[in-house]
Amino acid sequence: MKLTEEQINRYSRHILLKEVGGKGQLKLINGRVLVIGAGGLGSPIALYLAAAGIGTIGIADADRVDLSNLQRQIIHSTPDVGKAKVLSAKEKMLAINPELNVVTYETWVCAENIQSMIADYDFVIDGTDNFAAKFLINDACVLGRKPYSHGGILQFDGQTFTVSPGESPCYRCIFPEPPPKDVIPTCSRAGVIGVLPGIIGTLQATEAIKFLLGTGDLLHGRLLTYNALRMRFREVPIRKSPKCPICGDNPTITELKDELDALTVCDLGH
Amino acid sequence: MKITLKLFATFRNGRFKVAEQELPEGTDVRQVVLGLGLTEEEIGIVMLNGRHGELDSTLSHGDTLSLFPLVGGG
């Protein structure tokens, strides 16, 4: 496979980078990334992956665009209110880059559907807004040995790290169990500053691009935290936990289940 | 024994950013968390002397304990 003249022009600023070049751009074009969540985090992730020319991008979300989303979910516009988020997202992604194959999944991820969904992709990005989904994505990716980027935001704080199952610590190495429902506020209850998902989501998209290129260092074993008020990034070094219930020495989680007690936002849609 | 306790994000509301605390020998992280009026479920990351710690971790004189809330939105 060779780049066309138009592709060479479109991706010229990538191709100029020695870490990318023509070969790297072809890796991106042949790359397959699944974005779970087409909201705050999913918006910049999907837009940047589309612009970067990731050839196949899956996007999963069962929600519809609401006026209150538009303060931060920049892939959606005012005329999209009421439209399925995955369809609104697909339109914007194809407007940036019509060559892409955008696969939409208008559903919430659950234990029953996630394994077959992630199987088709090289890398998964968690852009979901609830702990049930975050734990499910971790478990599915660890069991399916699929690398993924975790992201979380609330109010003025965000965090992200990248999991390569078997190589690096997973979400449950840090947080063995999801918190009970309603203990931790969601963005819809506690608020979120609109630019925050732009920062964290862009970091997550960067990880996917680096993964496909096979260049640089991924956020393995380092939880990157960000506070917008103090404008401070921190790194918390994390280790693989021998006691981790899914990737430790004696795993107790060997199959997927929905964390019903931890549902916060998704349950509204079921 | 004396430790340095650092709180982050919403944990600072109505509390403090950083404080020295005088604690009995053998105190663990969980006891410090409960002493702040927080519950175990609210704790996201426990960082002990710059490394990932756990609620069961026993504290020693001179330790720096940092507590971050859970962040699960998107």
Side-chain angles (χ1 to χ4, degrees):
Chain A
M1 191 180 156
K2 275 168 66 178
L3 293 168
T4 64
E5 284 306 310
E6 191 187 318
Q7 285 174 326
I8 291 169
N9 194 15
R10 176 185 284 270
Y11 302 118
S12 56
R13 303 304 190 273
H14 267 173
I15 294 167
L16 284 169
L17 299 167
K18 72 172 170 44
E19 291 80 358
V20 184
K23 275 187 188 164
Q25 188 60 48
L26 277 172
K27 287 182 190 171
L28 299 182
I29 289 170
N30 292 321
R32 307 174 63 89
V33 176
L34 174 65
V35 183
I36 306 180
L41 292 171
S43 289
I45 294 167
L47 288 172
Y48 271 113
L49 293 184
I54 310 302
T56 303
I57 306 171
I59 186 144
D61 201 315
D63 209 2
R64 288 181 176 271
V65 180
D66 184 84
L67 190 60
S68 66
N69 300 148
L70 301 184
Q71 149 265 21
R72 65 196 181 285
Q73 300 184 13
I74 56 164
I75 204 164
H76 311 300
S77 311
T78 306
D80 298 319
V81 170
K83 190 183 282 182
K85 284 188 177 174
V86 290
L87 296 180
S88 162
K90 182 178 180 174
E91 287 171 8
K92 311 312 171 348
M93 292 158 77
L94 291 178
I96 292 176
N97 198 338
E99 318 189 308
L100 307 179
N101 174 27
V102 177
V103 184
T104 57
Y105 304 88
E106 196 180 340
T107 178
W108 303 118
V109 288
C110 61
E112 205 184 307
N113 66 16
I114 191 168
Q115 276 167 315
S116 62
M117 216 186 272
I118 67 172
D120 291 339
Y121 295 90
D122 303 315
F123 192 87
V124 174
I125 304 186
D126 172 10
T128 63
D129 63 356
N130 67 91
F131 287 105
K134 292 193 185 301
F135 279 85
L136 181 69
I137 291 167
N138 181 73
D139 295 354
C141 288
V142 171
L143 294 177
R145 301 190 76 79
K146 191 72 67 180
Y148 87 98
S149 165
H150 159 86
I153 51 166
L154 191 66
Q155 296 186 336
F156 293 91
D157 287 281
Q159 64 181 37
T160 178
F161 80 123
T162 300
V163 177
S164 287
E167 275 179 54
S168 71
C170 83
Y171 194 47
R172 283 195 195 260
C173 289
I174 326 176
F175 313 112
E177 296 294 330
K181 191 177 171 176
D182 295 336
V183 167
I184 310 302
T186 59
C187 295
S188 57
R189 258 174 54 204
V192 57
I193 191 80
V195 290
L196 181 60
I199 310 245
I200 302 296
T202 310
L203 292 171
Q204 292 184 273
T206 311
E207 289 288 275
I209 289 167
K210 279 161 46 197
F211 174 83
L212 292 174
L213 291 172
T215 194
D217 299 319
L218 297 172
L219 263 175
H220 283 161
R222 301 178 283 145
L223 182 77
L224 185 64
T225 71
Y226 169 70
N227 179 279
L229 284 178
R230 284 166 190 83
M231 199 46 80
R232 189 160 285 182
F233 284 92
R234 283 170 199 278
E235 272 191 20
V236 181
I238 44 176
R239 275 175 289 203
K240 261 174 85 67
S241 167
K243 292 187 292 184
C244 175
I246 192 157
C247 76
D249 296 338
N250 298 295
T252 52
I253 300 168
T254 53
E255 58 183 39
L256 296 180
K257 69 177 176 73
D258 291 311
E259 300 278 0
L260 293 174
D261 193 43
L263 287 179
T264 50
V265 178
C266 262
D267 47 353
L268 296 174
H270 282 294
Chain B
M1 64 174 181
K2 207 175 256 186
I3 69 151
T4 303
L5 178 56
K6 293 182 176 177
L7 301 180
F8 290 91
T10 49
F11 287 169
R12 289 179 179 174
N13 299 345
R15 294 192 188 88
F16 51 85
K17 193 171 156 183
V18 55
E20 298 251 300
Q21 294 220 324
E22 187 70 47
L23 300 168
E25 293 291 330
T27 301
D28 65 16
V29 173
R30 182 176 283 103
Q31 288 168 300
V32 174
V33 165
L34 298 176
L36 287 165
L38 294 167
T39 61
E40 288 180 25
E41 288 82 15
E42 289 174 89
I43 302 299
I45 306 150
V46 172
M47 202 160 107
L48 192 53
N49 302 323
R51 298 289 313 190
H52 177 226
E54 292 180 16
L55 287 166
D56 294 331
S57 305
T58 305
L59 297 166
S60 307
H61 180 75
D63 278 350
T64 297
L65 172 64
S66 304
L67 299 174
F68 296 74
L70 275 169
V71 177

